[in-house]
Amino acid sequence: MSALLVPAAVVEAQVEDSPTLSIQGFGTFGVVHSDEDQADFVSNLFAPKGAGHSDDWSAHVDSRLGLQLTANLSPRLTSVVQAVSEQRYDGSYEPSIEWANVMFEVTPALSVRLGRMMQPSFMTSEYRKVGYAIPWIRPPEEVYRMVPVTNFDGIDVNYRSRFGDYTHTLRGSYGRKDAKVAGGGEVKSRDTMLLTNTLERGAATLFASYGRYRLTIEDLNPLFDAFQQFGPEGEAIADRYDVDDKRFEIINVGVRYDPGEWFVMGEWARSDSRTFIGDSRGWYVTGGYRLGDVTPYVTLARVRVDGETSHPGISMVGLPPPLAAQADGLNAALNGLLGNVAQQKSLSLGARWDFARNLALKAQYDHIDLDSGSPGTLVNTQPGFDPGGTVNLFSLALDFVY
């Protein structure tokens, strides 16, 4: 991200090779309107409220402030701390530490980092929170929602090489992550392993990543423990759908071509999980043309589930009334989880106006077509919400760096 935030205030000693400290900041002030008043649109899966039901016009969806401190401790040792204030799982804006790591340059081509780092699952992962650095107001939800967490704690090894006109970057990461969700629950990721490969030549970039996680959602344990009380049938359901140290895998491929006057980019992702989360496929394609200070753009995106979005659950044949009522409640809860997996397609039209140095104003219209029976990426659905149908969003955002 440092290369994107060049216009930063820098405080440094004038003695050659002495430690230096740079201070960089970024932010977005945005508002979003949704015509669906029985559910909320949020750009952060862990946020409790957004545009639609909670607020007709919401400033919570995209607004954030970030500050990054980079300390060059020696020619080969660098430390980075980044704090971000945005809507959290509890509705507050208490700053959280997004990055906090130390990097050691073993050779000019090889570096090792320890600490909290960005989750490199997608092509724009390193700056997905820096609105000024991305073409849209927010990254397409159909792909980026597959891995909603943006950082992890662990170790990262990066190797960069050049051959001819090509630059090749190979990155391997290992660590863990705990994330709070709206309502106070927690998602835990252990044995997180990520491998990314980036190939660049001139205006062209090819990106690929593979991630493997062990996921646990402890708040769901009581539900699936209750299923197991119904013998082999319930045990089979619990084993198939619970999220208790279960493997989750994702593969992503992205391409970008940006010769200057115009750009086109896209990503395709596939996630696999033997849990209620299921297997998803998502993609987007974006293109834009720069007309002086104004850049209009268009995005097409799609996400769907390969697998079950419902299940007959426990058979109630022969069960006494109290157990039948319990089984019926468990079946309803299971199908609520399966049916809430996002399936939708969207068309986005937007424009970016770089009206001043380090400032960009964006406007974006999103038409979202929800698959039948699915809430898509909407959250906080109300009793009057009808899954399926369409949702229209209008967003304005002011992005800046300093």
Side-chain angles (χ1 to χ4, degrees), residues 304-326:
R304 62 182 177 84
V305 173
D306 289 342
E308 300 171 325
T309 57
S310 65
H311 191 278
I314 297 169
S315 173
M316 290 180 283
V317 176
L319 290 178
L323 287 179
Q326 183 182 358

Side-chain angles (χ1 to χ4, degrees), residues 153-191:
D153 299 324
I155 184 171
D156 175 284
V157 179
N158 191 86
Y159 181 77
R160 175 169 292 188
S161 59
R162 291 186 62 87
F163 49 99
D165 296 332
Y166 294 88
T167 300
H168 178 244
T169 304
L170 183 63
R171 180 174 188 164
S173 309
Y174 179 83
R176 57 185 288 173
K177 174 66 180 179
D178 294 341
K180 294 283 189 179
V181 299
E186 190 172 43
V187 178
K188 296 182 179 180
S189 171
R190 297 292 183 267
D191 294 333

Side-chain angles (χ1 to χ4, degrees), residues 168-217:
H168 178 244
T169 304
L170 183 63
R171 180 174 188 164
S173 309
Y174 179 83
R176 57 185 288 173
K177 174 66 180 179
D178 294 341
K180 294 283 189 179
V181 299
E186 190 172 43
V187 178
K188 296 182 179 180
S189 171
R190 297 292 183 267
D191 294 333
T192 297
M193 299 177 63
L194 296 142
L195 183 66
T196 66
N197 193 25
T198 305
L199 185 64
E200 300 168 279
R201 183 180 185 272
T205 300
L206 176 63
F207 173 87
S209 72
Y210 168 76
R212 188 179 70 189
Y213 314 78
R214 304 293 302 188
L215 291 183
T216 297
I217 304 178

Side-chain angles (χ1 to χ4, degrees), residues 258-276:
D258 188 347
E261 290 187 355
W262 57 276
F263 70 90
V264 63
M265 61 187 293
E267 292 181 83
W268 175 89
R270 185 191 78 189
S271 67
D272 297 295
S273 170
R274 187 176 167 77
T275 69
F276 78 89

Side-chain angles (χ1 to χ4, degrees), residues 2 14 124 137 140 149 204 208 286 345 357 377:
S2 299
Q14 300 301 312
T124 68
I137 287 182
V149 296
T286 292
K345 54 181 175 289
R357 187 168 181 260
T377 58

Side-chain angles (χ1 to χ4, degrees), residues 14-346:
Q14 300 301 312
V15 181
E16 187 177 359
D17 293 334
S18 64
T20 63
L21 176 67
S22 65
I23 305 173
Q24 306 166 318
F26 59 91
T28 297
F29 296 141
V31 291
V32 183
H33 169 72
S34 170
D35 66 357
E36 173 56 72
D37 63 1
Q38 294 297 304
D40 280 340
F41 173 80
V42 296
S43 63
N44 173 7
L45 183 60
F46 305 109
K49 61 181 181 179
H53 175 73
S54 296
D55 295 296
D56 188 36
W57 285 88
S58 176
H60 298 295
V61 178
D62 299 306
S63 298
R64 66 174 58 87
L65 287 172
L67 184 68
Q68 179 173 312
L69 305 178
T70 302
N72 295 304
L73 304 174
S74 76
R76 300 172 66 180
L77 189 65
T78 304
S79 179
V80 174
V81 176
Q82 184 186 100
V84 175
S85 175
E86 61 185 347
Q87 186 183 192
R88 289 161 52 92
Y89 69 93
D90 58 1
S92 73
Y93 280 79
E94 180 182 346
S96 60
I97 301 300
E98 183 73 11
W99 300 349
N101 59 73
V102 175
M103 183 184 75
F104 179 68
E105 189 178 276
V106 182
T107 71
L110 178 66
S111 63
V112 178
R113 287 188 295 183
L114 291 171
R116 178 165 295 177
M117 294 155 286
M118 69 94 176
Q119 182 105 218
S121 301
F122 306 112
M123 192 157 53
T124 68
S125 287
E126 189 167 0
Y127 43 89
R128 66 189 284 186
K129 289 183 180 289
V130 186
Y132 188 83
I134 60 177
W136 330 274
I137 287 182
R138 68 193 71 89
E141 298 285 293
E142 287 82 356
V143 171
Y144 282 71
R145 186 69 70 93
M146 290 187 183
V147 182
V149 296
T150 55
N151 59 36
F152 74 100
D153 299 324
I155 184 171
D156 175 284
V157 179
N158 191 86
Y159 181 77
R160 175 169 292 188
S161 59
R162 291 186 62 87
F163 49 99
D165 296 332
Y166 294 88
T167 300
H168 178 244
T169 304
L170 183 63
R171 180 174 188 164
S173 309
Y174 179 83
R176 57 185 288 173
K177 174 66 180 179
D178 294 341
K180 294 283 189 179
V181 299
E186 190 172 43
V187 178
K188 296 182 179 180
S189 171
R190 297 292 183 267
D191 294 333
T192 297
M193 299 177 63
L194 296 142
L195 183 66
T196 66
N197 193 25
T198 305
L199 185 64
E200 300 168 279
R201 183 180 185 272
T205 300
L206 176 63
F207 173 87
S209 72
Y210 168 76
R212 188 179 70 189
Y213 314 78
R214 304 293 302 188
L215 291 183
T216 297
I217 304 178
E218 292 182 347
D219 280 10
L220 294 178
N221 285 347
L223 170 65
F224 292 108
D225 287 345
F227 268 104
Q228 295 188 48
Q229 304 307 310
F230 284 82
E233 185 181 27
E235 291 171 359
I237 292 172
D239 180 65
R240 173 63 182 85
Y241 294 113
D242 73 3
V243 191
D244 188 6
D245 195 35
K246 287 288 191 68
R247 177 179 289 191
F248 177 88
E249 295 180 302
I250 182 166
I251 296 173
N252 183 68
V253 177
V255 294
R256 176 171 55 222
Y257 187 72
D258 188 347
E261 290 187 355
W262 57 276
F263 70 90
V264 63
M265 61 187 293
E267 292 181 83
W268 175 89
R270 185 191 78 189
S271 67
D272 297 295
S273 170
R274 187 176 167 77
T275 69
F276 78 89
I277 299 170
D279 303 337
S280 295
R281 309 291 182 267
W283 59 264
Y284 74 84
V285 177
T286 292
Y289 196 89
R290 299 183 176 97
L291 303 170
D293 295 332
V294 178
T295 306
Y297 59 88
V298 60
T299 303
L300 293 172
R302 176 75 162 116
V303 64
R304 62 182 177 84
V305 173
D306 289 342
E308 300 171 325
T309 57
S310 65
H311 191 278
I314 297 169
S315 173
M316 290 180 283
V317 176
L319 290 178
L323 287 179
Q326 183 182 358
D328 185 56
L330 292 175
N331 293 342
L334 174 63
N335 282 288
L337 291 174
L338 294 173
N340 273 328
V341 178
Q343 297 199 83
Q344 66 180 44
K345 54 181 175 289
S346 67

